[in-house]
Amino acid sequence: MSELTEWNSFYVIVGSSAGALIGLQFVVLTLIAERPHARMEEAGAAFATPSVVHFAVVLLLSALMSAPWHAVGIVALFWGLGGLGGVIYALIVTRRLKTQKLYKPVFEDWLFHVVMPIAAYAMLAVSAFMARAYERPALFLTGFTTLVFLFVGIHNAWDAITWHVFVNRSGKPQDSKSGD
């Protein structure tokens, strides 16, 4: 199908970026593991793990979209399942953000860890429902959603790293992750 093949280069670029960022996230987490904090595990489940999940979703979407499908139907099924599962996961992350005690989330945290991921997963599910009747717009919506996941993951990883470097490492009060 020509519509799907036209997206191949986009997903090769985005998918390889996500794969590299997953590896980089593991390297950084290994380096900061030398300074464990009593509640770091529950904060990691709320702040660090979702970034890796977002990068993995980008990688998975890129792999799915680069496969030699003949029609968009089966791919749309994966979008729908991923979107619905992602909304559930984002709600779990919301609960984790509320219950962890290491750091009090601010507006930016709620925006990038809850609102934008829920919106992106919902858009992925919507693209699945519109794929049969509106294939081209569904492909663009999925491409946009993939970029949202990539940029949310980049933002959240950077935010967490700067918090560890400038706040946690320096011994400053633990009430904000960065100087924002």
Side-chain angles (χ1 to χ4, degrees):
M1 168 184 269
S2 64
E3 283 291 327
L4 288 173
T5 57
E6 291 178 23
W7 283 90
N8 195 37
S9 296
F10 173 83
Y11 284 104
V12 166
I13 293 167
V14 173
S16 59
S17 298
L21 289 168
I22 289 171
L24 186 58
Q25 183 82 5
F26 286 120
V27 170
V28 170
L29 289 172
T30 301
L31 292 174
I32 62 174
E34 295 176 10
R35 295 187 45 90
H37 193 281
R39 298 195 175 267
M40 196 61 74
E41 185 177 326
E42 69 182 27
F47 293 106
T49 303
S51 297
V52 173
V53 169
H54 299 323
F55 292 144
V57 166
V58 171
L59 190 58
L60 178 63
L61 285 171
S62 297
L64 285 172
M65 295 303 292
S66 297
W69 305 105
H70 296 292
V72 76
I74 191 72
V75 180
L77 176 66
F78 288 120
W79 295 343
L81 293 172
L84 294 175
V87 168
I88 293 167
Y89 176 70
L91 293 173
I92 291 169
V93 170
T94 303
R95 185 179 48 91
R96 290 176 180 169
L97 267 135
K98 288 179 181 179
T99 60
Q100 60 83 32
K101 303 292 185 220
L102 181 63
Y103 169 76
K104 184 178 182 340
V106 296
F107 173 76
E108 180 182 354
D109 299 313
W110 292 110
L111 179 65
F112 280 91
H113 287 278
V114 176
V115 175
M116 290 179 72
I118 288 175
Y121 284 118
M123 286 188 296
L124 188 59
V126 166
S127 69
F129 289 109
M130 61 187 279
R132 285 206 184 253
Y134 305 100
E135 181 178 320
R136 187 169 173 82
L139 288 167
F140 273 95
L141 184 58
T142 302
F144 175 73
T145 301
T146 304
L147 289 177
V148 170
F149 286 127
L150 185 63
F151 288 113
V152 164
I154 290 169
H155 171 275
N156 293 350
W158 178 257
D159 197 38
I161 291 164
T162 57
W163 181 79
H164 280 285
V165 170
F166 296 117
V167 177
N168 191 32
R169 187 174 185 196
S170 69
K172 291 179 184 176
Q174 307 271 326
D175 62 344
S176 92
K177 285 193 298 190
S178 65
D180 301 337

